[in-house]
Amino acid sequence: QVHLVESGGGTVQAGTSLRLACEASGPTFSMNAMGWFRQPPGKGREFVAAIAKNGGGTKLADSVKGRFAISKESGDNTVYLQMNDLKPEDTAFYTCAAGRHNFRTVLMTGRYDWWGQGTQVTVLS
């Protein structure tokens, strides 16, 4: 069982930055893709970003393009979500996920196999 632990959430002012981290442990050789999702207050969970295990492919939701970036070092089991120019609408509970299928399949199906506990991000106007 892959175990995911998020860190880096908090309360910040609009226009500032935060970096979330998600550290994976356990049989991480099973992972082929990692991603971030968020759930704003009163809304459903939405995709934010995804990255292939070797860092060779990434995808960002249109709502965060130009402001957020997802990254990981090859061979490292930690994925980062750099969030710049934060807006109040970015307020949400952010969760890390990992999938066993290849990156393209994970993007097409949205199927992830392991989920972290999440971290809250609150952006004040």
Side-chain angles (χ1 to χ4, degrees):
Q1 180 79 359
V2 173
H3 187 54
L4 303 172
V5 178
E6 301 94 336
S7 61
T11 299
V12 297
Q13 294 290 330
T16 60
S17 300
L18 272 178
R19 189 177 77 157
L20 304 183
C22 173
E23 182 176 5
S25 60
T28 57
F29 58 85
S30 301
M31 302 187 313
N32 282 299
M34 297 182 75
W36 286 96
F37 289 77
R38 67 185 183 185
Q39 185 166 12
K43 297 183 179 180
R45 186 170 63 196
E46 61 186 38
F47 169 78
V48 178
I51 189 166
K53 182 179 182 179
N54 61 5
T58 62
K59 182 173 177 63
L60 293 168
D62 289 343
S63 59
V64 304
K65 282 181 181 177
R67 299 188 299 121
F68 289 15
I70 187 170
S71 65
K72 72 182 299 291
E73 296 294 329
S74 180
D76 189 356
N77 292 319
T78 301
V79 63
Y80 301 95
L81 184 67
Q82 178 67 43
M83 305 185 295
N84 299 324
D85 189 24
L86 283 161
K87 304 177 184 300
E89 51 264 41
D90 294 318
T91 293
F93 192 72
Y94 286 73
T95 306
C96 175
R100 68 177 79 242
H101 297 289
N102 64 62
F103 184 58
R104 181 175 180 179
T105 299
V106 169
L107 290 182
M108 290 176 61
T109 64
R111 179 179 173 180
Y112 289 79
D113 299 284
W114 303 283
W115 295 83
Q117 293 299 307
T119 185
Q120 178 68 37
V121 172
T122 301
V123 184
L124 304 176
S125 58

